[in-house]
C-alpha cells in the first residue's frame, strides 16, 4: 500500500508536468504519453487507444464489481485575459497556476494517486478501472465514449471534476434541437402563402410554457430555451420556412429519448436533435459511496453543467478537488492543499466500501 503523503507529492509533480504540455482537445498525445509513462513506472499495465489511457488493478477479479475512476487531460484554449504564461506551472502563495490546473488536472492526478494506492492491494471487495481520457472539453467522440466498450462491465463510476470535493449526485443532460416550421411562400401584398413564422410562433410558445409531468428531486423541471430563430429573405415575401434552435436541459427524471418523443408529439415543426449522447445522470442518495461522503461532511447537490458523466450508463457521481468557478478562467489555479485533501477524501470515502 503506497503512502498517501508520497502519492500527494507524486500527484503534484505530475500535475506540474501536465500543465507544461499543451493538450487542447484532439491534441492530447503528449499528455497521454506522460500519463502512460508514469503509470508504467509504478508497475501498472496500461492500455491505450488514441489519446486515452486505461488500466485495471493488479488483482482484478471478474467475479467482483468494478469501480471506474475517470477524469480528462484535455484543456480548453487559454482565454485572452491571461496575465501569466498558461504553461508555467508555478506555485505562489499556496496556489498552483496553469491551464488545466483546476479543470481537471487536479482531479485527474488525484484519481491517478488513488488508483496507485489501491493498485497492489489484495482482497478488495471491488476492482478498480482507471480511465484518463481525451476530448472531454468538446464532448468529442474519441474520448471516454470511444473506450467504454474496452473497459468491460462497470458497476459504479467516479468522474473527477472540480466540485470542492462535494458530491454532485445528479447532472443535467443536454439536447440541442434544430427545428423547422414549413409554410408556403407568397407575396406579402396579396392573400398568398402560408407564413412559416406564424407556425413557428405557436411551437415556440409551446416550448416556452410546457411543463413535463415528472420533475427531478434534485433539479426540479426540465428547462427548455429557444435561443436562435431565422426566417425570411425580404420584406414582401411570405417565408416558406422558419428555423429555430432549442436548448433542452434534461433532468434525471427522464431519458433524452423520452423527452424527444414528448416534444415531437406536441409540436408541428420538424425536430432534429444534434445529438442524444449527453444523457442526464444520477445516483441514489443511499448509495454507500454517497453515504460515506455525507458522513465525512460533504454536501450533495445537482450539477447544471455537463461532463463525461453524461456518457455513462451506470450509477455515477461527479466529485473532485478544485472549484468549478475557476474552470476556464484567466490565470487558472488550484490550491496545492486541495490536491492532498482530495486524495485523502477519495480514499476515506472509498475505504468505507472497498
Amino acid at each position: 500500500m503506497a503512502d498517501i503523503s508520497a502519492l500527494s507529492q507524486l500527484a503534484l509533480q505530475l500535475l506540474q508536468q501536465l500543465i507544461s504540455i499543451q493538450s487542447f482537445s484532439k491534441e492530447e498525445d503528449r499528455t497521454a504519453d506522460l500519463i502512460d509513462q508514469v503509470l508504467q513506472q509504478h508497475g501498472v499495465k496500461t492500455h491505450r487507444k488514441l489519446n486515452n489511457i486505461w488500466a485495471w488493478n493488479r488483482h482484478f477479479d471478474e467475479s467482483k464489481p468494478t469501480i471506474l475512476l475517470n477524469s480528462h487531460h484535455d484543456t480548453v484554449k487559454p482565454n485572452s485575459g491571461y496575465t501569466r504564461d498558461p504553461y508555467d506551472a508555478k506555485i505562489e502563495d499556496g496556489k498552483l497556476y496553469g491551464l488545466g490546473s483546476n479543470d481537471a488536472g487536479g482531479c485527474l492526478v488525484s484519481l491517478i494517486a488513488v488508483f496507485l494506492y489501491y493498485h497492489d492491494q489484495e482482497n478488495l471487495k471491488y476492482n478498480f478501472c482507471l480511465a484518463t481520457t481525451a476530448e472531454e472539453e468538446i464532448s468529442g467522440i474519441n474520448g471516454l465514449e470511444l473506450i467504454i466498450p474496452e473497459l468491460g462491465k462497470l458497476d459504479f463510476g467516479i468522474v473527477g471534476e472540480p466540485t470542492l470535493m462535494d458530491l454532485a449526485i445528479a447532472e443535467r443532460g443536454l439536447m440541442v434541437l434544430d427545428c423547422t416550421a414549413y409554410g408556403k411562400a407568397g407575396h406579402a401584398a396579396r392573400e398568398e402563402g402560408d407564413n412559416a413564422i406564424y407556425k413557428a410562433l405557436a411551437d415556440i410558445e409551446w416550448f416556452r410554457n410546457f411543463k413535463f409531468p415528472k420533475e427531478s428531486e434534485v433539479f426540479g423541471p426540465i428547462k427548455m430555451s429557444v435561443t436562435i430563430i431565422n426566417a425570411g429573405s425580404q420584406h414582401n415575401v411570405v417565408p416558406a420556412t422558419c428555423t429555430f434552435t432549442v436548448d433542452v436541459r434534461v433532468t434525471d427524471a427522464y431519458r433524452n429519448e423520452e423527452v424527444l418523443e414528448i416534444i415531437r408529439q406536441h409540436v408541428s415543426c420538424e425536430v432534429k436533435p444534434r445529438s442524444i449522447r449527453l444523457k442526464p445522470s444520477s445516483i441514489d442518495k443511499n448509495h454507500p459511496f454517497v453515504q460515506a461522503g455525507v458522513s465525512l461532511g460533504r454536501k450533495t447537490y445537482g450539477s447544471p453543467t455537463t461532463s463525461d458523466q453524461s456518457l455513462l450508463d451506470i450509477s455515477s457521481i461527479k466529485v473532485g478537488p478544485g472549484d468549478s468557478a475557476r474552470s476556464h478562467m484567466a490565470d487558472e489555479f488550484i490550491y496545492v492543499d486541495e490536491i492532498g485533501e482530495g486524495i485523502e477524501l477519495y480514499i476515506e470515502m472509498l475505504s468505507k466500501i472497498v
Side-chain angles (χ1 to χ4, degrees):
M1 188 186 301
D3 173 68
I4 293 178
S5 171
L7 285 172
S8 296
Q9 201 53 42
L10 167 75
L12 182 60
Q13 289 168 355
L14 175 56
L15 181 52
Q16 287 181 291
Q17 289 176 282
L18 289 168
I19 289 167
S20 71
I21 302 170
Q22 182 178 297
S23 56
F24 303 150
S25 304
K26 297 191 175 184
E27 300 173 20
E28 315 93 341
D29 50 308
R30 290 192 299 143
T31 44
D33 291 343
L34 174 61
I35 292 163
D36 200 15
Q37 179 188 339
V38 167
L39 288 171
Q40 289 187 34
Q41 284 170 353
H42 286 81
V44 176
K45 182 182 178 185
T46 60
H47 306 265
R48 180 167 184 166
K49 195 166 191 177
L50 298 183
N51 296 328
N52 304 286
I53 308 290
W54 72 94
W56 290 280
N57 57 305
R58 188 184 299 281
H59 302 287
F60 183 91
D61 180 344
E62 283 188 6
S63 68
K64 294 177 181 177
T66 299
I67 296 173
L68 172 69
L69 306 178
N70 164 247
S71 193
H72 65 94
H73 55 100
D74 62 315
T75 73
V76 297
K77 293 184 176 176
N79 77 42
S80 60
Y82 262 83
T83 64
R84 317 172 65 95
D85 178 349
Y87 308 106
D88 185 11
K90 276 208 173 99
I91 297 172
E92 292 177 13
D93 300 324
K95 299 173 181 176
L96 170 57
Y97 287 92
L99 183 65
S101 56
N102 179 78
D103 183 15
C107 304
L108 174 74
V109 298
S110 297
L111 285 173
I112 289 172
V114 170
F115 177 77
L116 291 174
Y117 178 83
Y118 286 110
H119 178 255
D120 293 333
Q121 290 189 38
E122 297 185 64
N123 304 316
L124 295 170
K125 293 176 187 169
Y126 285 80
N127 301 307
F128 282 94
C129 175
L130 172 71
T132 69
T133 49
E135 296 194 12
E136 190 274 346
E137 294 290 4
I138 59 168
S139 301
I141 60 171
N142 288 321
L144 178 60
E145 186 173 34
L146 179 72
I147 64 166
I148 283 174
E150 316 276 350
L151 303 182
K153 185 175 181 296
L154 302 169
D155 297 85
F156 165 58
I158 297 173
V159 176
E161 289 284 336
T163 69
L164 294 169
M165 289 306 291
D166 286 328
L167 310 171
I169 58 170
E171 180 182 270
R172 288 187 194 270
L174 169 64
M175 280 195 302
V176 179
L177 307 178
D178 291 313
C179 303
T180 306
Y182 293 97
K184 185 180 176 187
H187 198 295
R190 296 190 290 269
E191 294 296 320
E192 290 180 354
D194 184 8
N195 196 320
I197 291 176
Y198 299 153
K199 289 190 161 185
L201 283 174
D203 287 341
I204 289 169
E205 194 65 10
W206 180 85
F207 278 110
R208 181 182 179 186
N209 295 317
F210 183 75
K211 302 286 185 223
F212 285 84
K214 290 188 289 185
E215 290 197 1
S216 162
E217 268 187 56
V218 181
F219 295 114
I222 286 175
K223 188 170 184 345
M224 298 192 290
S225 305
V226 177
T227 53
I228 302 170
I229 184 166
N230 286 293
S233 56
Q234 58 191 63
H235 77 89
N236 59 352
V237 177
V238 172
T241 60
C242 177
T243 62
F244 59 96
T245 302
V246 189
D247 177 293
V248 184
R249 301 292 166 153
V250 185
T251 72
D252 52 308
Y254 287 91
R255 293 182 65 81
N256 285 354
E257 294 86 348
E258 292 177 282
V259 171
L260 184 59
E261 181 60 29
I262 291 168
I263 289 169
R264 282 176 168 161
Q265 285 170 2
H266 284 84
V267 296
S268 61
C269 59
E270 178 182 79
V271 179
K272 289 184 178 176
R274 294 182 188 175
S275 166
I276 55 172
R277 296 165 53 237
L278 303 178
K279 304 180 287 283
S281 51
S282 65
I283 188 169
D284 192 311
K285 284 182 184 171
N286 296 314
H287 189 282
F289 186 85
V290 178
Q291 289 302 304
V294 170
S295 74
L296 293 168
R298 311 325 295 174
K299 297 196 292 281
T300 62
Y301 73 103
S303 173
T305 56
T306 56
S307 69
D308 273 346
Q309 192 179 7
S310 65
L311 302 171
L312 296 173
D313 272 325
I314 55 172
S315 288
S316 59
I317 193 162
K318 187 161 71 176
V319 56
D323 186 346
S324 181
R326 292 183 222 134
S327 299
H328 307 176
M329 68 181 274
D331 301 337
E332 182 182 345
F333 69 88
I334 188 168
Y335 288 101
V336 171
D337 287 350
E338 288 178 315
I339 297 168
E341 288 165 4
I343 293 167
E344 287 181 16
L345 278 166
Y346 277 136
I347 290 171
E348 279 188 76
M349 289 187 273
L350 284 165
S351 67
K352 293 180 183 288
I353 62 175
V354 303

